[in-house]
Amino acid sequence: MNRRILILALLLILLTGGAVCALYYGNPAFRSYSGSMNSFPAFKPSEVASISVVWRNVQSNMILKDGRWVLIERNHAPASVPRISAFLQSLATLAPVKELTPCPESIRRSLHLIENDPSAIPGIRVTLRNKNGKELFEILLGKGHFVRPEPGSMPSSAPEGRYVKVGDRVYLIPVVFENCHPVPAAWVEPLRMYELRKALRMTVWQIDSGKRSLLWTCVRKSTAHPFMLGFPVGQKADNRILSGIAEKLSKPFSMDMAVDVNRLKPSLQLQIHCADGFTYRLDIADGGKTADFDHASLHVSFKRENVVSIPGETPQRKEQRYAVLEKRFAFESGYYNGRIFMIRKDIASALRILPVQQSDK
């Protein structure tokens, strides 16, 4: 009996050891390779005060100024904090899958891990520095890694990882870094309007020689009701058209920030009043028939007294809601107010369509 118990105990120990080994060596982050897992220099995102992303003659440079990230190539306009935070966090937690050894120049060239050679495709150089200009981290992002397809299967169009060069060593990492581009437009917080499902009034004006003429306006008593058309008079509103407009404006609709436009001369204006106390005013100027974009400026305002009360809401909960809304206002107004953007041309054309129900014939 004792011998049987001893055998069962040994089997249990072997099974437990096998499970631990499977978890340890089955995870890509723990697979052994030529080199140390601590090969990447460690840094804290909170220490980073400047970011440089360079590919050939294209570059984006961002610096932390008065506690806020700004984009040098866009006249020190605010850069997208959500994008920068996600990018720095990815770099700070980066762990290689394996190191390529040996890695001669021919392989580095095929992986786009060379620079200063006009005849070859270079990698993207990323450099992070602290407030004193000291380099914290530098990496060269090369070609994506594609997993070999199973027999009879189509090859994947999306990479599973990326080849990089840190110092003189080449690694494969499990991160693609699709959010890292040297083009400055990639680091601009895109233009959009938030929470348009809470809109109570939408109005569009045509502007000619500085004079406004009303194109259409619609209102509703609450967010639970459909919109009613206030102008043109005697027509019924088509809420499908209005929903389409709100969907276009709620998603990012800018391509870049305009740096060569000193003053906007709008030909179209949209104003939206929302139940959460926010008011949006979008001014659009025609970019011209030959241009692929229009110019636009967005002004965001917020007033506590315009926030519609929620039935049964306590004063304490209302104050908490005010705090959240004011924080959102600081975010939106800080990015958009006083700046001019390049936007898609389909925005102006959508606003010029009268949201009127067509009578059945």
Side-chain angles (χ1 to χ4, degrees):
M1 187 68 180
N2 291 336
R3 184 179 179 183
R4 185 178 178 184
I5 294 174
L6 181 61
I7 292 173
L8 288 174
L10 288 172
L11 285 173
L12 181 61
I13 292 171
L14 289 172
L15 288 172
T16 303
V20 171
C21 290
L23 287 171
Y24 186 87
Y25 293 105
N27 190 329
F30 294 106
R31 287 175 189 160
S32 60
Y33 65 93
S34 303
S36 168
M37 290 305 295
N38 297 322
S39 298
F40 288 179
F43 73 92
K44 295 179 180 179
S46 59
E47 297 174 342
V48 180
S50 75
I51 303 170
S52 174
V53 185
V54 181
W55 185 82
R56 287 183 173 165
N57 295 325
V58 183
Q59 59 181 308
S60 294
N61 293 280
M62 290 150 282
I63 59 173
L64 199 58
K65 186 177 181 180
D66 298 327
R68 186 156 198 170
W69 284 102
V70 296
L71 185 57
I72 293 177
E73 284 76 14
R74 292 298 177 264
N75 293 335
H76 288 75
S80 176
V81 169
R83 295 188 180 193
I84 291 175
S85 298
F87 176 62
L88 291 178
Q89 187 63 28
S90 296
L91 280 178
T93 57
L94 195 59
V97 174
K98 67 176 181 181
E99 181 181 359
L100 277 65
T101 55
C103 190
E105 184 180 349
S106 58
I107 295 179
R108 295 200 304 270
R109 180 180 291 267
S110 66
L111 298 178
H112 304 166
L113 292 176
I114 61 171
E115 296 176 284
N116 304 319
D117 187 347
S119 64
I121 300 175
I124 298 175
R125 172 68 66 182
V126 179
T127 307
L128 310 179
R129 292 184 173 86
N130 64 12
K131 61 182 180 180
N132 298 320
K134 180 184 177 182
E135 183 179 299
L136 298 175
F137 185 74
E138 190 172 46
I139 190 170
L140 186 65
L141 304 177
K143 193 176 182 180
H145 171 71
F146 294 84
V147 177
R148 184 176 297 176
E150 296 291 334
S153 302
M154 294 292 291
S156 174
S157 59
E160 298 290 334
R162 195 161 188 170
Y163 293 98
V164 301
K165 184 170 172 281
V166 179
D168 296 326
R169 305 168 80 167
V170 175
Y171 304 92
L172 171 62
I173 59 173
V175 183
V176 180
F177 281 118
E178 292 179 323
N179 59 346
C180 178
H181 299 280
V183 180
W187 302 98
V188 172
E189 182 67 21
L191 197 63
R192 58 176 294 197
M193 300 182 191
Y194 296 76
E195 301 292 344
L196 286 191
R197 66 180 184 275
K198 296 180 181 178
L200 295 178
R201 185 165 75 249
M202 301 174 66
T203 307
V204 175
W205 289 274
Q206 181 75 37
I207 303 176
D208 294 309
S209 302
K211 295 182 179 180
R212 296 194 311 177
S213 58
L214 188 60
L215 280 183
W216 59 266
T217 184
C218 58
V219 296
R220 58 179 175 177
K221 294 181 179 179
S222 74
T223 56
H225 292 82
F227 278 103
M228 305 294 291
L229 205 62
F231 184 84
V233 180
Q235 302 283 346
K236 290 185 177 181
D238 190 329
N239 279 272
R240 292 172 300 177
I241 295 177
L242 294 171
S243 296
I245 292 173
E247 184 178 4
K248 279 181 178 290
L249 297 175
S250 297
K251 296 177 180 178
F253 60 90
S254 63
M255 299 180 291
D256 196 358
M257 196 174 285
V259 295
D260 56 352
V261 179
N262 295 323
R263 182 174 176 270
L264 195 72
K265 297 179 180 179
S267 57
L268 197 67
Q269 186 179 88
L270 164 71
Q271 196 165 46
I272 301 178
H273 297 266
C274 300
D276 55 11
F278 276 73
T279 298
Y280 293 101
R281 193 193 74 224
L282 180 68
D283 293 327
I284 300 177
D286 193 342
K289 294 181 179 179
T290 59
D292 297 327
F293 54 84
D294 288 334
H295 288 120
S297 67
L298 178 65
H299 180 78
V300 187
S301 61
F302 169 73
K303 292 183 178 180
R304 278 191 171 203
E305 58 269 28
N306 292 340
V307 177
V308 177
S309 299
I310 298 175
E313 187 177 36
T314 64
Q316 183 181 5
R317 292 296 298 270
K318 195 166 188 177
E319 284 297 323
Q320 291 174 349
R321 190 156 63 100
Y322 282 153
V324 172
L325 292 171
E326 286 171 346
K327 186 176 180 180
R328 177 185 140 200
F329 171 64
F331 173 86
E332 293 186 45
S333 60
Y335 279 117
Y336 303 138
N337 287 359
R339 296 178 178 87
I340 300 175
F341 293 80
M342 298 159 57
I343 67 168
R344 305 193 313 265
K345 276 190 165 293
D346 63 327
I347 300 299
S349 57
L351 294 176
R352 285 192 170 94
I353 297 174
L354 295 181
V356 174
Q357 285 187 7
Q358 300 297 321
S359 58
D360 297 329
K361 294 184 179 180

